[in-house]
Amino acid sequence: DVVLTQTLVAQPVRLGDQASISCRSSQSLVHSDGHTYLEWYLQKPGQSPQLLIYEVSNRFSGVPDRFSGSGSGSDFTLKISRVEPEDLGVYYCFEGTHDPTFGGGTKLELK
Amino acid sequence: EVQLVESGGGLVQPGRSLKLSCAASGFTFSNYGMAWVRQTPTKGLEWVASISTGGGNTYYRDSVKGRFTISRDNAKNTQYLQMDSLRSEDTATYYCARSEIAATSGLIWFAYWGQGTLVTVSS
């Protein structure tokens, strides 16, 4: 089974700082169809998760361009260029290439 | 605006059944695959099941195969999750989610989510 590893808590940030969240997979996430099904979700306190990024680096409709995704194979990163108050919450990576699996989540907190 | 509204959660005894519903609006329901995802404080987020646009193809996580059944009624814009032989480890908030095909031609697994419905399995 694929395991997605995320650090439990990100380095605390100040508003306006850049934040970086990592997700490491135990297997390559390149699908036989050529796509890499790695997605990022944000769950704000008391809310449902919301999609930010699909296929590693594609921002979903309405997602601000301060969010960017990168990586390949089994190592992926979500960056938030200038953290705003509404960005706080838990970030989850998800792989849909093998057995659909979520990472354990990374909490983004203020310094 | 895409809206997904779950219902049917509640307290149920181990071994009993429960049926969740998800009413969809704001889009052409029959054009999209749908899914259920659950969340617990201990196990986090787990994909549970998915269903194709016409309902002919269904997929389940191993731990619910043979006990849960995903289905949909495109005339009613509603998907369902029939949960039988419930266990304490099925206790979770269950979310309805919509899938879609991206401009890249790849699959987006959970583009939109409902607010969730809580299922508690306990005697």
Side-chain angles (χ1 to χ4, degrees), chain B:
Chain B
E1 180 195 2
V2 173
Q3 285 207 335
L4 301 169
V5 179
E6 303 92 339
S7 61
L11 174 63
V12 61
Q13 291 179 329
R16 305 296 288 255
S17 299
L18 204 61
K19 187 171 186 176
L20 306 183
S21 299
C22 169
S25 60
F27 63 100
T28 304
F29 183 69
S30 58
N31 286 352
Y32 293 88
M34 299 293 296
W36 290 94
V37 178
R38 67 187 181 187
Q39 184 172 29
T40 67
T42 49
K43 289 192 278 183
L45 288 164
E46 293 184 327
W47 166 77
V48 175
S50 291
I51 188 167
S52 59
T53 52
N57 294 304
T58 56
Y59 312 88
Y60 301 92
R61 70 180 298 104
D62 285 347
S63 61
V64 307
K65 273 182 195 168
R67 300 189 300 122
F68 288 13
T69 304
I70 188 172
S71 62
R72 63 190 297 160
D73 184 336
N74 286 344
K76 294 184 178 179
N77 293 340
T78 301
Q79 76 155 343
Y80 305 97
L81 185 67
Q82 175 68 43
M83 304 185 293
D84 298 324
S85 303
L86 280 161
R87 305 168 181 167
S88 58
E89 55 263 36
D90 297 318
T91 295
T93 296
Y94 284 74
Y95 294 101
C96 168
R98 190 191 92 174
S99 304
E100 64 183 58
I101 303 301
T104 59
S105 78
L107 174 67
I108 298 175
W109 278 77
F110 315 118
Y112 295 94
W113 299 60
Q115 283 305 115
T117 187
L118 178 62
V119 172
T120 304
V121 183
S122 175
S123 53

Side-chain angles (χ1 to χ4, degrees), chain A residues 24-101:
Chain A
R24 188 158 290 168
S25 173
S26 59
Q27 296 181 33
S28 170
L29 297 185
V30 180
H31 195 278
S32 56
D33 65 6
H35 296 273
T36 300
Y37 293 111
L38 188 284
E39 298 173 356
W40 288 98
Y41 295 87
L42 164 61
Q43 188 170 30
K44 300 179 185 179
Q47 295 186 20
S48 308
Q50 59 186 87
L51 176 66
L52 299 173
I53 301 286
Y54 64 93
E55 289 190 59
V56 181
S57 59
N58 296 277
R59 265 188 309 277
F60 188 55
S61 173
V63 175
D65 62 6
R66 63 179 182 277
F67 289 93
S68 63
S70 63
S72 62
S74 60
D75 213 349
F76 304 94
T77 302
L78 175 72
K79 285 199 170 98
I80 313 165
S81 59
R82 298 169 305 281
V83 172
E84 298 195 4
E86 60 265 31
D87 300 337
L88 302 180
V90 181
Y91 288 81
Y92 295 93
C93 57
F94 167 83
E95 74 87 3
T97 296
H98 304 290
D99 284 329
T101 302

Side-chain angles (χ1 to χ4, degrees), chain A residues 5-11 20-24 91 104-107:
Chain A
T5 301
Q6 298 182 244
T7 54
L8 203 57
V9 181
Q11 193 78 0
S20 185
I21 296 169
S22 71
C23 175
R24 188 158 290 168
Y91 288 81
T106 298
K107 190 171 185 180

